[in-house]
Structures are given as structure tokens and as C-alpha cells.
Amino acid sequence: MSFLEHTHYYVNQAAKILEIPADLHKQIATPHREVRVEINIKMDDGSIGTFMGFRVQHDNARGPFKGGLRYHHHVNAEEVTALASLMTWKTAVAGVPYGGAKGGIQCHARDLSDAETQRMTRGFVDGIYDIIGEKMDIPAPDVNTNGQIMAWIFDQYAKYKGYAPGVVTGKPVTIGGSEGRIQATGRGCVYATQELLAQDGTDLTGKRVAIQGFGNVGTWAAHDYDKAGAKIVGIADITGAYVNPEGIDVAAAIDYVANNGGRLEGFNGATHVEGSLILTTDCDILVPAALGGVLTKDNANDVKARYIIEGANGPTTPEAQEIFDKNGVKVLPDIYANCGGVTVSYFEWSQNMQHFYWDEPQVNAELHKVMKNGFKHLHATATKHNISYRKAAFVLGVGRVMEATRLRGL
Ligand code: NAD
């Protein structure tokens, strides 16, 4: 099954549980709009660089389209559609007033200079400025995109439509970003884990955590798990996995990456092993926070963690999920576990619309409330239908979108 088929599979399961009529099911599962634009820029060496950019707007029954932008060589229309669909269910699970969208540019992001990335980003905005906007579709950071790239989007959009900071979230704080947005996705994963563990009568103290991906989500998750008393026994990025059963000095790892081009390569606070071993390393909690499709039927039985917290989007295939269910491994699914990012994006957008800004403790307190409340509904739904948290999340998300669609009519 492809990633898109995985997503349909879960939506179909939820539709069955909710007894959604076939016509309404088709309506909410079909993407609203798919846009593909060619971007031509002058490269630093004088040659012409041509890139494909994508934006898929999946559903807006509950509010404007919302979702990240990914710069990666694997970006393609089908993957973006699957990610856009996940955003529709995620914003509904989080209870934020948005629909779902996703976008990306197919490129080798790390081979581009800053100047080339800026020209490519502005070229993308030239192609999509008419279909994005504060009340229409609001992009945000994802893999290989960051606050600087959001700032360029905001600036290029302003050339066409005037000052509108809410057109994009994840901006630097100086130009209308929110305190706490950078930390939000990883921080939300930690809040979610605390709720799950409390349900099982335990907490993070001394729990061994392994994290795949040491970018935005992975570093902040590591930082907050560490602060909450857990022990980080493994971290991994594109350059491999770094394990240390005695516990990794997280502050040192974050500092190392900040001064080493964003990479863990050469980090000597742990033993370097082959990258995929992070998934099967001895730990209590596994946090996939890199790319999708990494937990499959081939490695699911070797996973030692009792809890999996999906920082990444789509890291677990349906076959792996079945194995986890059979083995008693509890999985907090992406559309709940990593909704902290879109939740604080919502806070950022609200601040932009009101031109009134919050401090970080307020942002964190509101995020904490959303994650707590989200888990309460997730757990209640799982218990009511006697289903996994994954199925329960889709039942919650699809149910809320269905209700909004029905109310708004044709
Ligand atoms: P990022 O670009 O900041 O970091 C990605 C990290 O993954 C890097 O450390 C990279 O080296 C690592 N990586 C890439 N390929 C790898 C591989 N094959 N094996 C191990 N590590 C690998 O991206 P991010 O924003 O942290 O996003 C990570 C995941 O979280 C994605 O799935 C994204 O969709 C999801 N997510 C991000 C946000 C957000 O707010 N940034 C919100 C929700 C979900």
C-alpha cells in the first residue's frame, strides 16, 4: 500500500465505524484542489534551475486550509495529497478551526544555497499567491523548511496582496511569529506522552526514550523529555543513529548540531550505529520524528518500546500497526501526537489577526490544555468503540469533519 492508500484505509475504517453514507464519505475524502507549478530560478552558477512545486487543499469544512510545506527530493503529488488529508483529520482532532492542506517543492534542499532557496521560495509564491491567504490557505514549516522560509513567503505574498502576517505561520517572532511555535510540535509530543503514561498510572521519570530525527520536532522533543525526567538513550538523523544506554547529554547534542550544519555526524556523546537501528534500540518510548513509512511489517516485531509517539507524519504502516496492536505496543498516532505544531500555528494566526501578542508561558499553557483535552477525547473514543488510539483518532477527526460538512450543506 502507498502512503495515500494507508490514509484512505484509516479514513475508510472510521467511516465504517461512524456509518457515514457513501456519498458523504466520498465528499469528505476527495481533495478540494490540487495545484502544481513550475518554478524556474537562476542558480548561483548562472544556470537555470527548474523545480516542481505542489499545493494540495484537501478540505475546508471546518475553516481555512492549513498545512506545512516540505522541501525534499521525494515530494510528489501523491505524497502531498496523503499529507494534506492527514492535516484535515489532525486539525479536527486538535479542535482548531482549520481544514487540511499540504505543499512542497521537489528539490535537494541541502544542496541549495540560501540565495537559491530564497529565489525558489519566492518563485513558488508567484505561482500560488492567488490560492493562499489568511482566510483561505495558510502554509507553515515542515521538513527542511523553517522560519526564514516562512518570512520570505510572507514578504513575497505582501508584494501581491499587502501586509498579511497571518498568511503563513511558523514565522520568526520579530515579524509576527508566536513565542513557543518552534518548540510546539516536540513539546506537544511530550505533553501527549505524559497523558498516556498517566492513564497507565506512571510518568516520564527514568523512562528511556529513543528519537528518530533530530530536526525541529526531534530536538525539542528530546529537550522536553529530558527536562521532564526521562533518559534519552538514542537519537538519529540522516547521518545515522547515536545510542548511549547511560543517557545522552541532550544540551550537548543540540549545541553540536547547531554548530555542525544541522547534523549529528561526528557527535561523540554516543556510539554511532546504522540509522535504522534507532527504531529497534532498547527503550521504553520510541519517537519517530523524521519521515513516513519507517515502521513496517519487517521491523515492527523487533521494536522494543512499549509506547510509540508519532512526531513524524505517517511513520507507521497499517501492517506495523496491526503488529503493535497484537504485541500490546501503544501508539499515539500522528494526527494527535504531533498536533502541537498546528495548534500553536493557530495561536500565532489568532495573534496576527488581533495584532495582540502572547508570552511563552501563555502559549505553553494553552497548548497543554489542547493536548490534555485531545487525549481525553481520544481515550474516551478508543474505550467506547474498543479500538486502538489510531482508529479512535480517525473516528474523532472524520466525525468532526463530517458534522461540519453536513451542517454547511451543498
Ligand atoms: P526537519 O527538517 O527539521 O528535521 C528532519 C530530521 O529528520 C533531520 O534531523 C534529518 O536529518 C532527519 N532525517 C531525514 N531523513 C532521515 C532518515 N532517513 N533517517 C533518520 N533521520 C532522518 O523536519 P521536522 O520539521 O522536524 O519534521 C519531522 C517530521 O515531523 C516530519 O514527518 C514532519 O511532517 C513532522 N511534523 C513536523 C511539524 C513541524 O511543526 N515542524 C509538525 C507536525 C509534524
Side-chain angles (χ1 to χ4, degrees), residues 70 142-144 181 185 214-217 237-238 289-290 311-313 338:
R70 180 175 286 201
D142 193 72
V143 174
N144 291 328
R181 173 60 184 89
T185 308
F214 211 61
N216 174 270
V217 181
D237 71 359
I238 188 82
N313 285 312
N338 70 39

Side-chain angles (χ1 to χ4, degrees), residues 68 70-72 83 87 90 102 110 140-146 181-186 189 211-219 236-241 257 262-264 275-276 278 288-292 294 310-315 334 337-342 345:
R70 180 175 286 201
Y71 288 0
H72 196 272
L83 290 164
M87 285 306 299
K90 187 186 299 182
K102 200 82 180 190
R110 290 192 173 269
D142 193 72
V143 174
N144 291 328
T145 56
N146 54 27
R181 173 60 184 89
I182 291 177
Q183 300 89 335
T185 308
C189 287
I211 302 174
Q212 183 190 47
F214 211 61
N216 174 270
V217 181
T219 50
D237 71 359
I238 188 82
T239 70
V257 164
R263 291 173 165 234
L264 279 165
S276 65
I278 192 75
L291 297 174
V294 294
E310 293 187 339
N313 285 312
D334 44 11
N338 70 39
C339 77
V342 76
S345 274

